[in-house]
Amino acid sequence: MDAFTYRSGEAFCEGIPLEELAKNYGTPLYVYSGAALDARCEALKAAFSGHPTLPCYAVKANTNLSILKRIAAHGFGADVVSVGELEKALLAGVPADRIVYSGVGKLRSEIERALDVGILSFNVESVGELTLIAEVAQKKQKRAPVTLRINPNVDAKTNPYIATGLYSTKFGIAENEMTWFLEIASNNRWLDLVGLSCHIGSQITDVKPFREVAERMATLSREIQAKGFELRLLDLGGGLGIRYQNESPPDFAEYARTLIPAAEAAGVRLLIEPGRSLVGNVGVLLSRVLYVKRTPAKTFVIVDAAMNDLLRPSIYRSYHEIRAVRDGGTSRIENVDVVGPICETGDFLGLDRTLPELKPGDYVFVEGAGAYGFAMASNYNTRPRASEVMVDGSEARVVRRRETLEQLLAPELVD
Ligand code: LLP
């Protein structure tokens, strides 16, 4: 379903005109479609219905509590990378035994808390971490479920900043080091090796790397099982890409057909950690045009959303479609750079875009902003972070209040 559509030249989210939302709640504003999110969750579940699968939503993609609650209500687990994400997932109603904990730098205090609440597994990335988990587990007299996160040295063919499956990255355990980890795990009764895991990168639009990794992970699981380990799961990570411009990523059905055989071959439950593919296209960033600045070289549409609100274009050079909220059919088309108010040339939402002629007070919206949008927002230039609203049919509800200057300054008012 497409939750963001035009009716008579005016953009809507479900049953509400975006302009109405902008006027009621102010801009910059993240707008999410509840129906679109539900549809993505159900489509994913349906695609994987042929094999026992637990989708653990990668909380980092969008950590809004209302989004988490909604995803949890579909029976999803969570993939967390900090105690903050762990607490949010629990608060949102994700049962602890559906939570996996990823990340290369887990703190002792984080391991303690995760063990206390009884998570499904720690995805372990180094010997130092495995040793620390064992130590904490012994102290608490509680066995720690762990998976070994394998670095399969596979090129996910995505932006290098978000590719994680190559030996040149900080992630995972090289296959030839696995025996070492297995020895540690088998000699320590506080460690319970429940499976293998991996995650080769994000915004992957080609099915081949997924296939390659799934096959490799199935083989490795079988080898470990042959050594006497009773594996219970195979976690193949997240990374499925979405369409921002003209990509054609695999759909959930093709993705499932690619991954399921690996878990079947190993005779274990499948885990996946989708983030972007669930929430990416269920949200937009709504913004108001402040000025239109015509210089001899270019036309700049200066809007009130900036790189602190949506960082992806600036740091990854990611393409996000930008549209005018009122796409008045007769107006002139212009080639423009859509930029924010921040004092950096790198502060842009889109370069060389073709848009209807805009004037101050008009609204634009940036598509594909549901994943790694608000989640990566900052206060750069002392800008309070945007508000977030969730739309359901013809109702909208604030799911995060706009940050105030008072809140922003409070931690520094120390004298
Ligand atoms: N699992 C692990 C261990 C991860 O590190 C990630 C993402 C995911 C799952 C979810 O991946 P997804 O399904 O969302 O692709 N800020 C970047 C993306 C960073 C992804 C980091 N890890 C961006 O805006 O493109």
Side-chain angles (χ1 to χ4, degrees):
M1 78 166 283
D2 201 345
F4 299 91
T5 47
Y6 282 95
R7 288 180 218 160
S8 314
E10 190 181 0
F12 278 67
C13 175
E14 299 190 27
I16 310 188
L18 288 182
E19 189 161 316
E20 189 180 312
L21 293 171
K23 286 184 173 149
N24 285 348
Y25 302 104
T27 51
L29 182 72
Y30 276 94
V31 180
Y32 306 118
S33 157
L37 179 57
D38 289 341
R40 289 306 278 168
C41 292
E42 285 308 308
L44 185 79
K45 272 166 55 179
F48 281 89
S49 60
H51 184 85
T53 302
L54 178 65
C56 293
Y57 168 61
V59 172
K60 63 170 83 66
N62 186 323
T63 61
N64 185 283
L65 259 186
S66 299
I67 296 251
L68 295 181
K69 280 185 190 159
R70 196 125 180 174
I71 294 175
H74 288 275
F76 282 49
D79 163 50
V80 303
V81 292
S82 69
V83 75
E85 287 190 358
L86 174 63
E87 300 300 350
K88 279 186 106 170
L90 292 170
L91 202 58
V94 182
D97 64 3
R98 288 190 199 157
I99 298 180
V100 294
Y101 205 127
S102 301
V104 294
K106 302 177 190 74
L107 304 172
R108 175 190 288 268
S109 55
E110 293 180 316
I111 295 168
E112 286 171 350
R113 176 69 178 149
L115 207 52
D116 281 344
V117 300
I119 63 163
L120 176 57
S121 82
F122 292 93
N123 294 343
V124 170
E125 305 240 10
S126 66
V127 161
E129 182 193 332
L130 188 61
T131 314
L132 181 57
I133 291 174
E135 191 189 313
V136 174
Q138 180 174 15
K139 211 169 248 166
K140 293 190 178 287
Q141 299 285 293
K142 197 170 178 183
R143 283 189 97 202
V146 295
T147 71
L148 302 181
R149 173 167 171 182
I150 304 300
N151 181 329
N153 202 26
V154 164
D155 186 355
K157 302 214 166 39
T158 182
N159 182 310
Y161 280 14
I162 54 175
T164 51
L166 287 170
Y167 282 164
S168 54
T169 70
K170 66 184 172 186
F171 297 100
I173 299 163
E175 282 176 29
N176 60 8
E177 285 184 326
M178 230 174 52
T179 325
W180 184 27
F181 283 78
L182 293 177
E183 262 165 39
I184 298 175
S186 59
N187 290 325
N188 192 316
R189 69 187 201 83
W190 299 107
L191 296 174
D192 180 13
L193 182 66
V194 297
L196 294 183
S197 60
C198 71
H199 171 75
I200 55 168
S202 199
Q203 184 53 17
I204 300 169
T205 52
D206 183 359
V207 79
K208 274 191 236 96
F210 285 123
R211 184 172 306 123
E212 204 179 316
V213 162
E215 285 168 4
R216 190 68 208 132
M217 295 294 286
T219 307
L220 288 178
S221 296
R222 300 286 293 267
E223 281 172 24
I224 295 173
Q225 286 165 328
K227 290 184 177 150
F229 289 92
E230 283 177 24
L231 303 187
R232 304 197 283 281
L233 61 89
L234 176 59
D235 180 346
L236 292 178
L240 181 63
I242 60 169
R243 187 184 175 101
Y244 286 104
Q245 188 176 10
N246 47 21
E247 305 89 339
S248 45
D251 60 13
F252 283 151
E254 187 179 8
Y255 182 53
R257 277 197 303 276
T258 311
L259 302 193
I260 286 176
E264 270 172 354
V268 293
R269 182 185 194 198
L270 176 62
L271 258 69
I272 48 172
E273 302 168 358
R276 187 189 322 261
S277 55
L278 285 179
V279 294
N281 277 329
V282 312
V284 301
L285 174 60
L286 190 52
S287 183
R288 184 165 58 93
V289 175
L290 301 175
Y291 302 99
V292 177
K293 178 170 172 176
R294 297 178 208 279
T295 73
K298 272 189 170 171
T299 298
F300 296 97
V301 174
I302 303 170
V303 299
D304 65 357
M307 66 189 283
N308 76 299
D309 300 300
L310 182 67
L311 188 57
R312 303 192 72 256
S314 297
I315 59 166
Y316 310 124
R317 278 276 186 157
S318 310
Y319 185 95
H320 286 255
E321 200 63 71
I322 302 174
R323 299 185 193 278
V325 164
R326 280 184 185 275
D327 203 359
T330 54
S331 61
R332 213 159 64 85
I333 298 292
E334 272 197 303
N335 188 268
V336 300
D337 284 4
V338 181
V339 301
I342 282 183
C343 302
E344 286 201 28
T345 305
D347 176 30
F348 55 83
L349 298 174
L351 304 177
D352 282 322
R353 300 305 176 86
T354 309
L355 283 167
E357 188 175 355
L358 291 160
K359 55 180 191 320
D362 286 344
Y363 295 102
V364 295
F365 63 104
V366 185
E367 293 186 333
Y372 307 107
F374 187 91
M376 292 172 76
S378 77
N379 294 118
Y380 189 37
N381 277 211
T382 311
R383 287 166 54 89
R385 282 176 298 170
S387 178
E388 296 171 285
V389 298
M390 174 84 78
V391 172
D392 272 296
S394 52
E395 298 204 343
R397 145 179 102 81
V398 174
V399 291
R400 190 182 211 276
R401 288 191 288 271
R402 189 172 300 285
E403 211 166 23
T404 63
L405 261 186
E406 290 70 26
Q407 290 166 334
L408 208 151
L409 297 182
E412 290 171 46
L413 297 176
V414 289
D415 301 319

